[in-house]
Amino acid sequence: MTGRSTDWLLAIAGGALLALMIHFNSLLARHTTPVVASWVAHGLGAAAALLLVAVYSRRATPALTGARSADRPPWWFYLGGVPGTFTVILAAITVNSRLSLAGTIAFMLVGQVLFGIVSDHFGLFRTPKRRIALADFGVALMVLTGSALIIFDRV
Amino acid sequence: MAPYILLALLNGLFIGTSRAINGKLSTRLGPFKASLWNHGVGFLFLTLLLVAMGGWRLDGASTPPWSAYLGGFFGALFVAVNSHVFTRLGAMNAVLLVIGGQMIAAVLLDAQRLQLAPSPVRCLGVGIVLLGIHLTRVSNAPRTQAKTHDTPPMGR
């Protein structure tokens, strides 16, 4: 369970990193345009990731040694960045509509949870299948309700 | 209004797809190389898009405070962390925990920016999010043990 706990804490810390990323990127977007800001952020992110690879390559590669990893990954494994850039563009469209920032974030969160449920159920993108229990919907509802309170209290 | 709601929901699917694919790449190359590919491919794609649309507007690039350029660094770390946990926790748990961390961090960032304690409604929101996260652990405990064999072991 201790190994799992690290994953849970890492995921929560990941959310904090995401909030910091959005905070700084929107600051940049206010001085340029959303597409240019995303372009600059991806360029600097690539440089930062290169640095991280150089520093941690020895520690991060044990995953490679497994027999399953010997075959070449399919080409679409490398294209995760493309839907990532659409995220910025779509968000720029909806934030500037009547939905505003709060509504955009709220519906994006709902979309993500729906994706998570469907992805786990069908094992999309070759991820392990996971049975969805009724309790999962309750948990999702709680996290989304709490998030909605935080989001809509802003406006 | 309705088409924008659909677009925002669709955006959630784009985010999920991106994270799922990066997570798969991470099991082969490790989380940091997955983050490098994500940002490299995204950068190339946006370069092509900007060339095609002619939307270069770099005149304002020198005005923001230097901290505005930190986003890329946090993005690189975020993609690495998310790719690592995605395949280990499953899509839904990863999504819920990241959302929880994101909302709590947003409340703290706002409080720091406005130099003002968060409102009671926002504190209630954080409480409900934390309770939800806690319940995820409780409801998953028996199933996580049962399915350990079908998740490939990864180097730590």
Side-chain angles (χ1 to χ4, degrees), chain B residues 121-153:
Chain B
V121 175
R122 301 196 103 193
C123 292
L124 179 69
V126 170
I128 295 177
V129 167
L130 284 174
L131 196 64
I133 288 175
H134 175 71
L135 284 180
T136 327
R137 298 204 68 160
V138 177
S139 79
N140 276 292
R143 268 177 299 153
T144 351
Q145 276 166 0
K147 70 178 274 295
T148 34
H149 60 275
D150 54 41
T151 345

Side-chain angles (χ1 to χ4, degrees), chain B:
Chain B
M1 195 75 165
Y4 292 113
I5 291 176
L6 274 177
L7 271 189
L9 284 172
L10 181 71
N11 205 353
L13 305 192
F14 274 123
I15 297 170
T17 309
S18 176
R19 290 180 188 173
I21 298 176
N22 284 328
K24 284 314 284 180
L25 186 61
S26 153
T27 62
R28 305 293 184 95
L29 304 183
F32 294 114
K33 280 187 182 156
S35 180
L36 179 58
W37 274 98
N38 173 76
H39 285 88
V41 169
F43 183 69
L44 198 71
F45 180 76
L46 284 170
T47 306
L48 293 176
L49 196 76
L50 279 166
V51 167
M53 297 193 330
W56 303 97
R57 270 189 50 205
L58 298 169
D59 41 302
S62 58
T63 50
W66 64 270
S67 64
Y69 292 96
L70 285 176
F73 175 71
F74 287 110
L77 268 181
F78 166 71
V79 174
V81 166
N82 194 74
S83 304
H84 178 73
V85 297
F86 194 94
T87 43
R88 295 167 73 89
L89 296 174
M92 196 181 116
N93 280 330
V95 161
L96 286 176
L97 289 167
V98 168
I99 288 175
Q102 181 191 348
M103 296 322 295
I104 294 164
V107 169
L108 294 176
L109 270 173
D110 275 356
Q112 196 262 335
R113 191 168 53 93
L114 304 169
Q115 294 291 313
L116 201 75
S119 71
V121 175
R122 301 196 103 193
C123 292
L124 179 69
V126 170
I128 295 177
V129 167
L130 284 174
L131 196 64
I133 288 175
H134 175 71
L135 284 180
T136 327
R137 298 204 68 160
V138 177
S139 79
N140 276 292
R143 268 177 299 153
T144 351
Q145 276 166 0
K147 70 178 274 295
T148 34
H149 60 275
D150 54 41
T151 345
M154 268 176 286
R156 300 192 49 82

